[in-house]
Amino acid sequence: MSIRLFGYQDKILLLQHGSTELLALAQRRGAQLHKLLSGTSIFEQDLHKPHGRLHHNDWLKLLQNCQQQLNSPELPYLLGNALLNNHYISLCQSLQYAQNLHQALAQLYYFRHQLFPCFYARLSQQQHCIIIEFKPALGLASQQAFMLTAVISLLLGLVKQQLGTVAGISLQLQQAASHQLQHQLHWGVDVSFNRSLDCISIPLALWQQVFTDANTLKFNAARRTCRQLNHVLSKQRALPESICRLQHRALPQLLNQDQVAAELGLSSSSLKRQLNQHNTNFATLLDEVRRDAARQLLQQGHYSNRQLALKLGYSDEHNFRRAFKRWTGLIPSSFKGMFNFN
Amino acid sequence: MWRQHRYKMLFSLLLLLSGLLLAIDIGSAKHSNEFDWLDILGEGTTLLVACGWLGLIISSRPAGRITEWLYYGSLLLVYSYFLDLLDEFIRYPEHIRLMSWLESLPAPVGMLVLTYGLIGWHREQRAINRQLRGRELFLRDHQLIDPLTQLYGIEYLQAVLQREIELHQSQHKALGLLVLDIDNFAEFNRQYGIANGDAYLGQLSELLSNQLRHSDVVCRYAGDRFIALLPNTALAQTNIMAQHLRQQLSQLSVESSRPQLTLVEMAVQQDNAQSALHAADQAMALAKKTATHKLQPI
């Protein structure tokens, strides 16, 4: 595999792609820079270097410091918008010059290691909308909600700017409804809480609608800059994400730890050790992949439990039913009724 | 805050040091079997607490007249307690009374100075409260203040609104509400940058809390929406307030780069905060659609 893997200690985040914006926002709200940076390995003078970097441990600490210093619930929403409109991030510039949402999102997804390496997405289609499911590529601990809010704010901000409306878009979130009011005020879309996944559903009609600022020349120029940045910041993926992808692709076969390690070019013991750093293990990830696949299959069509068990690599129907009950607390047939966007 | 008080701290250290040197010069050390540990514990604790006060004063107060009074009052106390502790370890000759004077005199003087400072603090706090009026009503909870605009946020608004609705209904008085929204603030942020957007929000909130009466309270309801609560104000009066505010606000939006604002007024007739805020949102949505209440830059 040519793509490199990163962990919490790998400096793969650019300071200019998020941290400086976050710090500026927090400072204007009265937080002190040295307190925001305390506990991280970032120095004040690094903040102005064009290619200064930080790793995920620092980023998570930074987010935590911000929330400790300030009681400002608008921070993740503003961060998303600030990133979108930042003139120094060519990726975000390119999004605005794209032809349509399809091109913009494809671009964002291809270069996501430059902006949000901590998430990956899975697409599926349902009736008249496309559903983008957000999965954390590595453990984000208590900051997952913050980061997700920032990503969604960026997406909704882009749609609002370029298409003028967010009508028809809806969200499902895993978190409890505590931020309902803030979401409502900042996003203006339907949000349902306590769901089994984090996803955004965008109507097909918006998907191909031409952006107001669409400009092929500028888009290509910005994309070239993104490509150049790739030389400095090569494409990297987090280990849990890579494992989930491999497993997902292999279904209904199940790969064992040695096979996956070989596929990723790691030794079995180092795979285990690295997963330990991500606070997860091989069996948990496999279980997660099967859970997501089961949900996706149920959502797509009418499979019997036997077919589902076969597709997910369970030895028999009974085992599948038991696993499903463990994931959702429901039996598969009653879950089908629940999973409905409308 | 510490940096403002550097000389004060240096002076205090020198003062304590001179006390120590003087005591060592005059007296002679006691034997360890003469120590009264209970006394040492009691006096040591008193000294530590007084030092703690000094630290709190230095770290929490800006330089100024009242701070000086508070500081030097506490310093005299610390000095007195310090010498008090020293004489547990050092014995002074009978005929020299200087040390016992130095030990007992500064404490009462310090107490007087400290009391004077506290009276000043009380006056200062009253002035600050006057300044704060219009930003808060009956509840104080600094955790709910929005750090950017220094106005209270939505949780505070809900709590206060609920209480005011109940009060006004029981007394059959009218409660007014003003809702101010920045049109297309996202676009403004995009064009001029979020830093400018934040600065504009600061100006706007300053103007709002200055232009309303002392009994009114302004809250930041959402990123770009402010709500002012006008207790004991009938709709006619609310209208006048809104008209006044529109004039003031149109001066703010003289520069063409300023975003337009929408202001709506309403009388609260709902019997809980949630439905009142919902009605306010709807009134705002309607006003935006019909666009009759728009504030045009002059």
Side-chain angles (χ1 to χ4, degrees), chain A residues 28-29 71 74 96 181 213, chain B residues 143 147 154 190 198 220:
Chain A
R28 282 202 297 276
R29 279 157 184 74
N71 171 34
E74 58 179 351
Q96 317 213 19
L181 204 60
D213 292 339
Chain B
Q143 305 241 303
I154 183 162
R190 185 188 171 199
D198 282 349
R220 187 172 178 211

Side-chain angles (χ1 to χ4, degrees), chain B residues 61-81:
Chain B
R61 296 213 32 114
R65 203 170 53 84
I66 290 163
T67 311
E68 309 270 292
W69 284 104
L70 290 173
Y71 184 82
Y72 288 115
S74 319
L75 183 61
L76 285 175
L77 279 187
V78 167
Y79 187 68
S80 183
Y81 293 149

